[in-house]
Amino acid sequence: MLTLCICDDSPADTAQIRSLADRFVQEHPELGLRIEFFFSPVDLLEHLDEKGGFDLYLLDILMPHMKGIELAQRIRERGEPAEIIFLTISREYALDAFEVDASGYLLKPLEWEKFQRVLLASVRRLGGADVPSILLRTKAGLRKVLLRELVMVESFDHDRVCTLSDSSRAVTADTLSSLMERLSV
């Protein structure tokens, strides 16, 4: 199952995005896409700390308290292999989107064909709905790690260090035996 997070502070825009996302789910039931909505970047960040991240993010750029670009930077700092697509009324931030490795940049009002094309491309990059992963509890919060990116797990004192294919590391206090049990499923 893939998870999609939509964060937009505008009720009118959220209604249109919800309509398009529901249509996408209906036309692509094989993905088993689960959608969650957030109306504030702060609420989304709290959720990430408590419950972990999502596979796909659709983020408005112009929101109060925090722009979508900054929110995307915070998501990227978590180290999760997520796809991020920006939804905005402004072309002004298109270059900034490259700084956070955005997968797409769609202008509002959204058009169905473009929306579907960008979402499907993101799903393909993620490997579809059946990509095995493991959720690790780190000091920074819950972190989803794709098994195909896990190179090795080492145990040092009370920490397990998971080295990933991009040379980054995720440190967890989970026991080695609990990790092995979850990895063998």
Side-chain angles (χ1 to χ4, degrees):
M1 172 182 282
L2 289 173
T3 55
L4 170 64
C5 169
I6 299 171
C7 186
D8 195 310
D9 65 309
S10 164
D13 289 342
T14 301
Q16 187 205 17
I17 298 164
R18 182 183 298 265
S19 172
L20 291 173
D22 288 344
R23 180 176 174 188
F24 186 83
V25 167
Q26 288 175 353
E27 292 192 17
H28 302 282
E30 73 281 3
L31 298 177
L33 194 63
R34 183 176 55 83
I35 304 169
E36 287 195 44
F37 286 87
F38 295 88
F39 300 97
S40 153
V42 174
D43 291 343
L44 172 54
L45 289 172
E46 286 176 10
H47 178 277
L48 296 179
D49 287 341
E50 294 171 11
K51 298 185 180 176
F54 296 87
D55 297 303
L56 297 153
Y57 292 87
L58 300 180
L59 304 177
D60 185 18
I61 289 184
L62 301 173
M63 294 184 283
H65 309 295
M66 183 184 303
K67 286 192 170 74
I69 296 290
E70 182 184 345
L71 176 58
Q73 289 168 334
R74 304 269 297 270
I75 291 167
R76 288 291 183 227
E77 287 169 3
R78 295 175 52 81
E80 296 183 21
E83 293 282 310
I84 297 175
I85 300 166
F86 288 109
L87 313 174
T88 185
I89 59 170
S90 174
R91 296 178 188 273
E92 178 183 347
Y93 298 94
L95 291 176
D96 294 331
F98 284 105
E99 295 290 322
V100 293
D101 298 322
S103 306
Y105 194 92
L106 297 173
L107 293 175
K108 296 176 185 177
L110 302 173
E111 298 172 22
W112 166 246
E113 292 301 324
K114 289 180 183 177
F115 181 84
Q116 178 177 234
R117 180 177 40 82
V118 170
L119 233 55
L120 281 173
S122 290
V123 167
R124 276 189 226 104
R125 279 190 295 276
L126 286 167
D130 298 324
V131 177
S133 63
I134 187 171
L135 201 58
L136 300 175
R137 185 169 302 280
T138 68
K139 289 178 184 173
L142 292 175
R143 178 175 175 183
K144 181 179 183 177
V145 173
L146 299 180
L147 293 189
R148 69 177 181 223
E149 295 181 344
L150 185 60
V151 175
M152 82 175 128
V153 178
E154 299 174 285
S155 184
F156 300 102
D157 297 321
H158 299 287
D159 290 329
R160 263 40 68 213
V161 178
C162 301
T163 303
L164 307 179
S165 58
D166 65 357
S167 299
S168 67
R169 294 180 176 181
V171 179
T172 182
D174 291 346
T175 64
L176 195 53
S177 59
S178 76
L179 284 174
M180 293 307 290
E181 186 177 304
R182 290 187 292 161
L183 289 170
S184 65
V185 173

